[in-house]
C-alpha cells in the first residue's frame, strides 16, 4: 500500500511541477535564466528524480521501510525508484491518451 501511495504522490507532484499551470510562471523564469535548470524542470524523468529525493527527506525514506541501509543510500534509491515509477506510469497514461482504442 505504501508503494502505491508513494508512486501516486510522486506522480502528482512531478506532474504539477512539469505541466501544472500553477508553476507556469516559475518554469518560464527558470528556463529564461538557466539552461540546466530549465531542462531539468521540463523533463519528467529528471524532475521525478528530485521529487524522490525530496520525498525521501521529508517522509524518512521509502527504502528504509524494506531494507536496513544508511540514509544517504536510501535517498539515492528513493530517487531512482521514484523516477522509474513515474516514468512507467506516465508512459502508460500517454499510451492510452494517444491510442485510438475507444
Amino acid at each position: 500500500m505504501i508503494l502505491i501511495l508513494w508512486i501516486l504522490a510522486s506522480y502528482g507532484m512531478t506532474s504539477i511541477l512539469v505541466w501544472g499551470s500553477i508553476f507556469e510562471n516559475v518554469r518560464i523564469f527558470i528556463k529564461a535564466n538557466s539552461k540546466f535548470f530549465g531542462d531539468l524542470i521540463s523533463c519528467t524523468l529528471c524532475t521525478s528524480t528530485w521529487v524522490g529525493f525530496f520525498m525521501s527527506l521529508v517522509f524518512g525514506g521509502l527504502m528504509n521501510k524494506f531494507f536496513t541501509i544508511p540514509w544517504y543510500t536510501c535517498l539515492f534509491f528513493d530517487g531512482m525508484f521514484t523516477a522509474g515509477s513515474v516514468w512507467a506510469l506516465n508512459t502508460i497514461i500517454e499510451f492510452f491518451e494517444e491510442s485510438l482504442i475507444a
Side-chain angles (χ1 to χ4, degrees):
M1 184 65 169
I2 191 166
L3 290 175
I4 293 170
L5 291 174
W6 185 279
I7 292 168
L8 291 175
S10 60
Y11 180 79
M13 189 180 298
T14 300
S15 296
I16 289 170
L17 290 170
V18 174
W19 301 300
S21 61
I22 193 169
F23 286 109
E24 187 171 359
N25 292 334
V26 175
R27 280 192 308 273
I28 291 169
F29 176 79
I30 291 171
K31 288 177 185 179
N33 292 305
S34 173
K35 176 161 176 37
F36 175 77
F37 289 110
D39 290 344
L40 183 83
I41 199 73
S42 301
C43 170
T44 304
L45 193 60
C46 304
T47 304
S48 62
T49 303
W50 289 96
V51 165
F53 295 156
F54 173 77
M55 288 178 59
S56 183
L57 289 171
V58 170
F59 297 120
L62 177 65
M63 295 300 153
N64 280 341
K65 310 272 190 270
F66 303 103
F67 307 105
T68 305
I69 54 177
W71 70 270
Y72 50 87
T73 308
C74 179
L75 184 74
F76 173 78
F77 284 113
D78 286 348
M80 299 305 107
F81 174 78
T82 302
S85 59
V86 167
W87 173 82
L89 185 57
N90 186 54
T91 301
I92 293 167
I93 290 170
E94 283 183 351
F95 171 78
F96 285 108
E97 284 179 349
E98 296 172 2
S99 178
L100 297 176
I101 301 171

